[in-house]
Amino acid sequence: MSVKGTRLLVLGLVRLRQPVHGYQVQHELTQQWGAERWFGVLPGSVYNQFRSLSKAGYIEVDSVEREASRPERTLYRITQAREAEFHTLRTEI
């Protein structure tokens, strides 16, 4: 799958499930949707997209979950300024 396609899937799931953390998106794409088989999305590419989208200002930290029995998890949401990017990417793919 192209980087643009993976980016669209990740951005779309963040938009749909927000606030959401990387593992939730990775799990849904690979375990529930089977995106590894039909779209070539690898778990590591999901986390790379989170970093890339965050750095580019498409998503932002919503909050951080802290539970004693789990590692800290950062929840993300799509930025208001970049909501339109989802629609632009969707029409390009």
Side-chain angles (χ1 to χ4, degrees):
M1 161 172 243
S2 71
V3 172
K4 235 183 207 184
T6 302
R7 183 177 208 158
L8 174 62
L9 286 173
V10 171
L11 189 57
L13 271 174
V14 169
R15 184 175 177 268
L16 182 66
R17 304 276 187 239
Q18 60 188 329
V20 65
H21 56 76
Y23 178 76
Q24 289 171 303
V25 171
Q26 180 269 330
H27 180 76
E28 186 161 343
L29 285 175
T30 59
Q31 301 299 313
Q32 295 177 346
W33 293 13
E36 281 181 284
R37 291 186 306 276
W38 59 265
F39 226 36
V41 174
L42 300 174
S45 65
V46 171
Y47 293 105
N48 286 338
Q49 282 303 317
F50 263 84
R51 281 189 293 278
S52 174
L53 289 166
S54 182
K55 189 175 183 178
Y58 291 97
I59 60 175
E60 62 190 359
V61 173
D62 179 78
S63 60
V64 177
E65 287 182 343
R66 291 179 177 89
E67 293 181 25
S69 62
R70 291 184 161 179
E72 193 173 86
R73 292 188 174 181
T74 304
L75 294 143
Y76 293 90
R77 69 174 43 258
I78 193 168
T79 61
Q80 289 182 354
R82 299 300 184 148
E83 176 72 24
E85 180 66 14
F86 174 77
H87 300 290
T88 301
L89 284 171
R90 187 179 61 178
T91 58
E92 290 178 2
I93 300 289

